Amino acid sequence: MERQFQIGVAGFALVVAAVALAGQRPRAAPEQAAGQARPDLVKLASISTTNRHSIDYRALDERLRRMAEKPTMVGLAVGIVEGGRITFLNGYGETLADSGEKVTPQTVFRWASVSKGVAGTMAAKLAEEGKLDFGAPIARYAPTLKLPGGNEQRATLGDVLSHRLGLYRNAYDDKLEAGESPSLIRQMYASLASLCAPGTCWSYQNIAFDSSSEAIARVAGKPYQQVVANRLFRPLGMTSASVTREGLERSPSWARPHTVGRRPLELSDAYYRVPAAGGVNSNIKDMALWMIAQMGGMPEVLDKKVLDQIHAPLVATPNELGRLRKFRERLDQPYYGYGWRSYVYAGHRIIGHRGGVNGYRSLILFDPQLRSGVVALWNSNTSQPGGLEFEVMDMLYGLPFRDWMELDQGGVAPVGTIASVEEVNSGGDTRG
């Protein structure tokens, strides 16, 4: 029965993906007739059972069903890629608690801080075209950002994208959540004391990081949301992806936010106002396509030079080992690049990011050499599903099973209500 259900989901995803892509106007193949679907994207958007090699999908599906039944869960969507092809897409639970509306692979969620990789990628594409310079002062591109001691003249665009501005962690996120303008908040930073000189220490940011959206919009001559839609989402076939609250709410199926106690929350637009830091929405299929592109599977859109730049281990983040101590037997060498994290996991280099806004959580993690990885989206404040990524990586590497999702330990991982775009580890602590 389980296998039949998975194949049904695969067929459903294939049909929906093909129909959704059929209206795309191709960018990489201009000789195609207008309105004709790009065969490469139709293929990548469908499930390939022939690429299933390392993962026990029946066992994984059973564990995900158990996860979805936890009292802290509402809805969950998961996608897996092996060998550069989607091998699993499934939804669990509901879009709204007790509504009966099921999560499917077409249900749209928020990416939260996983959005930062979109900003890093778009900036690198523009740098490759000579329109942005990662080594140039951020003041050249984002005049609203004012740093202590005039450091906006010293801090670079690269420092913005790698969280090396010398500000304290998540500076003035509370002001953003209280409704203040991001551009005004960025000017307030001038009155703060610096933790260090720009480029010399790492401290996670949201509002300051979003000065990258100002830079991208300025050189492209269009709003940030439009630039990433035209230059990234559409060419990659990400037909559900958007960077606005309206984009989420107009989706035919979208997941509502919830507390850890399954109480519905009001949808906040605070982090849509810093779109580079936390504004992206999509369904799980499109998130899987994004991961394939980040693995090098769509070089006509994202070439190796761009990917090597954004994924490079730029700045060490050793405190990450403390926050991820639960996985310490596997995990080592945490670094941050341009909107992306990287680690060594059981001897393998992996790349990813996590995210959380109030009522939503997200993750992406992949091995670029194997061209394999996992994406997940869920709509409550629990962090317990975060262990999923490491259970998948263990299967990919043939490692002994560990109950990283803590399904068999008689309890629930600690959780918290988080109202800012911060990465979240499986223990529930927020982090930068």
Side-chain angles (χ1 to χ4, degrees):
M1 180 63 70
E2 291 176 359
R3 185 172 300 277
Q4 290 173 349
F5 178 78
Q6 290 177 14
I7 292 173
V9 169
F12 172 80
L14 173 59
V15 171
V16 173
V19 171
L21 287 166
Q24 287 286 110
R25 184 180 298 273
R27 294 180 61 89
E31 70 279 3
Q32 285 184 260
Q36 180 180 353
R38 278 177 52 183
D40 57 337
L41 294 184
V42 172
K43 180 179 179 181
L44 286 173
S46 62
I47 291 179
S48 169
T49 57
T50 60
N51 279 52
R52 292 179 170 178
H53 302 301
S54 303
I55 294 173
D56 185 339
Y57 290 94
R58 182 184 293 275
L60 181 64
D61 179 67
E62 187 274 333
R63 288 184 63 74
L64 292 172
R65 291 178 188 279
R66 289 176 59 197
M67 173 60 70
E69 293 170 357
K70 291 290 183 180
T72 56
M73 293 293 296
V74 180
L76 168 70
V78 176
I80 295 174
V81 169
E82 279 196 74
R85 289 292 308 276
I86 297 173
T87 50
F88 182 88
L89 292 174
N90 212 347
Y92 304 86
E94 298 176 307
T95 63
L96 175 65
D98 302 319
S99 69
E101 182 181 343
K102 300 301 183 182
V103 171
T104 76
Q106 302 304 318
T107 300
V108 174
F109 292 77
R110 297 185 68 175
W111 285 21
S113 277
V114 175
S115 305
K116 290 181 170 69
V118 174
T121 302
M122 191 66 248
K125 279 183 67 71
L126 292 172
E128 186 177 44
E129 297 167 6
K131 297 176 181 177
L132 283 175
D133 180 353
F134 275 44
I138 188 59
R140 177 188 299 181
Y141 304 118
T144 68
L145 181 63
K146 305 297 182 183
L147 296 174
N151 278 340
E152 67 272 11
Q153 301 294 337
R154 303 176 186 87
T156 67
L157 172 62
D159 292 332
V160 169
L161 291 166
S162 57
H163 304 288
R164 296 184 298 168
L165 296 175
L167 300 174
Y168 69 83
R169 186 173 76 101
N170 296 97
Y172 285 160
D173 280 3
D174 56 338
K175 293 182 181 295
L176 179 72
E177 292 159 13
E180 296 190 42
S181 164
S183 61
L184 294 179
I185 295 171
R186 284 195 278 268
Q187 295 176 47
M188 297 178 191
Y189 291 147
S191 65
L192 298 176
S194 290
L195 298 178
C196 64
T200 64
C201 68
W202 187 89
S203 182
Y204 195 80
Q205 302 297 321
N206 287 309
I207 306 161
F209 183 94
D210 187 62
S211 60
S212 61
S213 77
E214 185 178 355
I216 289 167
R218 189 178 183 88
V219 303
K222 297 178 181 178
Y224 175 79
Q225 294 87 339
Q226 186 175 344
V227 178
V228 298
N230 291 342
R231 299 293 308 276
L232 293 175
F233 298 158
R234 289 175 186 164
L236 295 175
M238 297 170 61
T239 55
S240 74
S242 63
V243 198
T244 63
R245 174 176 178 166
E246 293 72 27
L248 177 70
E249 293 182 312
R250 70 169 176 254
S251 302
S253 172
W254 64 280
R256 276 62 169 178
H258 295 79
T259 67
V260 73
R262 293 173 53 88
R263 177 174 59 83
L265 291 166
E266 181 179 354
L267 180 64
S268 170
D269 68 351
Y271 289 93
Y272 286 118
R273 291 185 282 117
V274 285
V280 176
N281 320 296
S282 89
N283 62 33
I284 200 67
K285 171 186 70 71
D286 284 352
M287 199 180 196
L289 286 173
W290 175 248
M291 181 165 63
I292 289 172
Q294 291 293 325
M295 296 172 180
M298 300 190 197
E300 73 280 7
V301 183
L302 298 180
D303 62 32
K304 186 177 186 299
K305 180 180 177 182
V306 165
L307 298 177
D308 286 348
Q309 181 178 22
I310 61 179
H311 296 159
L314 184 64
V315 53
T317 56
N319 288 344
E320 190 74 354
L321 296 179
R323 301 180 192 278
L324 293 173
R325 56 190 174 274
K326 171 181 168 182
F327 313 106
R328 190 65 180 89
E329 69 175 279
R330 301 272 202 260
L331 209 58
D332 200 7
Q333 300 181 38
Y335 278 83
Y336 207 94
Y338 295 120
W340 290 95
R341 288 188 178 275
S342 64
Y343 311 89
V344 171
Y345 187 84
H348 304 268
R349 183 168 179 266
I350 57 174
I351 295 165
H353 213 287
R354 295 190 181 197
V357 292
N358 200 17
Y360 297 94
R361 297 290 182 268
S362 60
L363 63 84
I364 179 172
L365 190 68
F366 60 92
D367 182 323
Q369 295 300 314
L370 292 181
R371 296 182 299 133
S372 301
V374 57
V375 288
L377 298 161
W378 60 101
N379 61 330
S380 68
N381 282 332
T382 179
S383 300
Q384 190 175 5
L388 161 67
E389 59 185 348
F390 298 118
E391 291 197 18
V392 170
M393 300 316 288
D394 282 356
M395 290 185 186
L396 287 172
Y397 299 138
L399 297 172
F401 171 78
R402 295 286 187 274
D403 181 19
W404 297 129
M405 288 192 284
E406 298 184 331
L407 295 176
D408 301 315
Q409 298 182 17
V412 177
V415 292
T417 298
I418 300 158
S420 62
V421 178
E422 299 171 311
E423 295 185 88
V424 190
N425 74 16
S426 289
D429 301 324
T430 61
R431 71 183 185 203

